[in-house]
Amino acid sequence: MKLVEHFDTFLSDVVNLNQSRIDTLKARVDAIAAALREYEVYSDILIETCPQGSWAHRTIIKPSGTSGSFDADVVAFVKPHDEWNPTDYIDNLHQQFRDHGTYSDKVSRKTRCVTIQYAEEFSIDVVPCIRRSAFLLDTTEWVLNRNDNTEEQTNPDGYTEWFNQQNGYAGNNQLIKVVRLMKYLRDVKTRRAQEPSATFLGDNVAWE
């Protein structure tokens, strides 16, 4: 029993993201969602914004090392734009953030998202995702590849539902705890491999 208590304390004090950072992240995500609803180019096609990845799965951990930074993903579900190619969804979103006083010096583009970087805090990847309605309630979702100018089918909400289901099977949020711990071990391993005095054997493992 004592080992369980020590393990829970280790997770709480060392691994888990502290509540103040969670509150700050949520406030920043809410502000980005509000900005998207006001953008001239995106307001007509925006359906909703949803946390995804580790932010949705509750597996973000406290950053390690000196950077003190972590990242979170937000999907912006949109209706198809009749006049846009896949690249346009990323480029237009990037331009809207560049024209916004709050984000003009924080925004950059990646292949499938626009990134807002908060110095020494965290970054938020905003991922445009087309939601198409087909027959009756059947819908498909597509992220946009800016480099290839193509659409790629995805199911981010389905993945979140699956993960939460597996966590429920494990009970007591054990799957969430294990994923957080594995991420912590990955970060420690990577940090030590980068230290000049470190002796490192084996390959780096990317768990995400």
Side-chain angles (χ1 to χ4, degrees), residues 24 40-41 50 84 104 114 123 166 177 182 199 202:
T24 301
E40 179 180 355
V41 174
C50 298
W84 286 3
S104 60
V114 169
S123 61
Q166 307 312 305
K177 293 176 183 179
M182 295 303 291
T199 300

Side-chain angles (χ1 to χ4, degrees), residues 14-199:
V14 179
V15 178
N16 295 349
L17 193 66
N18 48 301
Q19 189 60 47
S20 63
R21 281 180 165 138
I22 294 174
D23 293 342
T24 301
L25 173 60
K26 186 179 185 305
R28 298 286 168 79
V29 169
D30 289 345
I32 287 174
L36 283 172
R37 290 191 295 268
E38 297 174 358
Y39 288 159
E40 179 180 355
V41 174
Y42 258 75
S43 60
D44 291 339
I45 64 171
L46 183 66
I47 300 172
E48 62 176 337
T49 58
C50 298
Q52 295 297 333
S54 57
W55 174 224
H57 304 160
R58 295 176 292 161
T59 58
I60 297 179
I61 65 171
K62 190 177 297 182
S64 63
T66 59
S67 66
S69 182
F70 60 94
D71 59 76
D73 301 322
V74 176
V75 173
F77 291 104
V78 298
K79 295 178 288 187
H81 194 293
D82 294 336
E83 299 178 357
W84 286 3
N85 293 316
T87 298
D88 295 327
Y89 290 86
I90 306 292
D91 290 344
N92 285 324
L93 182 59
H94 177 254
Q95 188 60 50
Q96 292 290 293
F97 279 116
R98 280 183 60 86
D99 293 341
H100 193 289
T102 300
Y103 305 108
S104 60
D105 61 343
K106 299 180 177 66
V107 64
S108 61
R109 282 174 292 187
K110 295 180 181 176
T111 302
R112 298 173 183 83
C113 68
V114 169
T115 299
I116 308 298
Q117 178 69 56
Y118 297 91
E120 302 302 326
E121 290 186 85
F122 50 79
S123 61
I124 299 174
D125 290 338
V126 184
V127 186
C129 182
I130 297 174
R131 180 180 286 169
R132 289 191 173 93
S133 298
F135 302 101
L136 298 177
L137 298 178
D138 186 23
T139 61
T140 57
E141 296 169 341
W142 307 79
V143 294
L144 299 314
N145 186 313
R146 182 172 68 92
N147 293 341
D148 297 337
N149 196 28
T150 57
E151 297 180 4
E152 299 170 345
Q153 191 166 6
T154 187
N155 186 9
D157 285 341
Y159 178 46
T160 297
E161 291 173 6
W162 174 86
F163 182 88
N164 289 335
Q165 183 181 55
Q166 307 312 305
N167 185 57
Y169 292 153
N172 197 30
N173 288 326
Q174 293 297 336
L175 179 58
I176 290 176
K177 293 176 183 179
V178 168
V179 172
R180 288 178 181 175
L181 181 60
M182 295 303 291
K183 287 185 172 184
Y184 170 80
L185 293 173
R186 172 206 62 190
D187 291 349
V188 169
K189 182 178 181 181
T190 302
R191 187 174 72 248
R192 288 181 177 174
Q194 293 171 347
E195 294 174 355
S197 60
T199 300

Side-chain angles (χ1 to χ4, degrees), residues 1-13:
M1 187 65 179
K2 290 183 179 180
L3 292 178
V4 174
E5 293 175 355
H6 287 316
F7 180 69
D8 288 341
T9 299
F10 173 74
L11 285 175
S12 176
D13 294 349

